[in-house]
Amino acid sequence: MYTFRALTAVSPPLASRRILVIDDQPSIRGVLQVALEEAGADVWAAGDGASALLLLESALPDLIVVDLEMPVMDGWAVVDALRATKRTASIPVVVVSAGKDYSSFMRARTLGVAAFLSKPYRLGEVVETGRRILDGARPLQGQTAAEHEGPAVQLREPSGTLLGVGRLLDLDTRGAQVDFERPLATGQLLLLVLAEVEGSQTRHAEVRWVRKVGEGFHHGLRFQEV
């Protein structure tokens, strides 16, 4: 029978999140990629807008960071293309610009951009902005947190013993993110009962990362094949 153990690992701020960086300057792409990967993210990189859109035809990131000043297809054109396609319209976007003019700021806000970063920026600022956005914030839109609480989910031991009830933050075919009142140990196996989602399905899962957020703990779960 599983028992609770002391928290053995604290996840990096962008653990297991997929981020696409679009910038025509190789040096900047490289620096951003290293910083985001060190923060735990799975980073994809594209040197121009057309390459980025081609990549998006086969894979979708959780967040996109795009430079506005690029030749041929600039960042504005990329944002327009993302918003014009249902498949990519909801992906949060951070735009980066060397300019600080009010019109660009307002244009980004009107397009629903999640955040606007001005060069020069600190790498820590990029990581923290990404973390906040992936936790539900939209700084440019004035939204500081997710607006709606997720549905309730049950967390059970593999034997079926109830550990408690948490809140579902995110769900896809590979895994889920759950807010729970206390930390589970990384590597712990459990049953996730989607009591209010997808017809009360039960999924076998492994705890991959844990992060303290507010009064609770966010858990990244990876689904297991049985």
Side-chain angles (χ1 to χ4, degrees):
M1 178 178 295
Y2 268 87
T3 57
F4 283 102
R5 304 186 297 273
L7 185 62
T8 57
V10 176
S11 72
L14 300 177
S16 302
R17 307 314 296 262
R18 304 176 298 270
I19 300 178
L20 171 61
V21 174
I22 311 171
D23 196 298
D24 63 303
Q25 298 186 48
S27 59
I28 294 179
R29 282 201 314 276
V31 168
L32 281 175
Q33 183 165 359
V34 169
L36 294 171
E37 287 177 344
E38 288 181 345
D42 179 11
V43 183
W44 311 331
D48 58 78
S51 296
L53 295 180
L54 183 61
L55 186 155
L56 291 170
E57 291 181 2
S58 58
L60 293 180
D62 300 308
L63 176 68
I64 294 174
V65 180
V66 58
D67 185 34
L68 290 179
E69 291 85 24
M70 296 188 296
V72 184
M73 186 177 193
D74 64 14
W76 295 119
V78 172
V79 174
D80 286 341
L82 293 172
R83 296 296 178 252
T85 303
K86 182 178 181 180
R87 188 166 179 270
T88 58
S90 63
I91 301 174
V93 176
V94 177
V95 296
V96 180
S97 175
K100 300 180 180 179
D101 59 289
Y102 182 73
S103 61
S104 293
F105 181 89
M106 291 306 299
R107 182 179 179 183
R109 187 173 187 178
T110 300
L111 289 171
V113 169
F116 190 108
L117 293 179
S118 297
K119 297 178 181 177
Y121 50 75
R122 293 178 294 105
L123 292 176
E125 180 184 9
V126 180
V127 170
E128 176 60 14
T129 298
R131 183 198 66 77
R132 291 172 58 203
I133 291 171
L134 292 169
D135 280 345
R138 298 292 183 269
L140 191 58
Q141 306 300 322
Q143 181 179 325
T144 58
E147 296 181 345
H148 302 290
E149 192 176 51
V153 292
Q154 297 176 10
L155 299 177
R156 294 180 177 271
E157 294 181 350
S159 64
T161 301
L162 181 66
L163 296 172
V165 176
R167 287 287 171 180
L168 184 67
L169 302 173
D170 194 12
L171 175 70
D172 62 25
T173 58
R174 301 185 305 168
Q177 290 188 46
V178 175
D179 185 21
F180 195 51
E181 62 183 0
R182 59 186 183 275
L184 302 177
T186 55
Q188 179 168 346
L189 301 178
L190 51 79
L191 300 177
L192 177 68
V193 183
L194 305 169
E196 301 176 21
V197 182
E198 296 186 355
S200 298
Q201 291 188 8
T202 298
R203 302 297 300 271
H204 293 257
E206 176 189 357
V207 179
R208 299 299 296 272
W209 55 263
V210 183
R211 182 169 68 246
K212 181 75 169 68
V213 178
E215 298 300 317
F217 294 83
H218 289 187
H219 294 73
L221 308 181
R222 179 61 60 88
F223 293 145
Q224 304 289 302
E225 296 295 333
V226 294

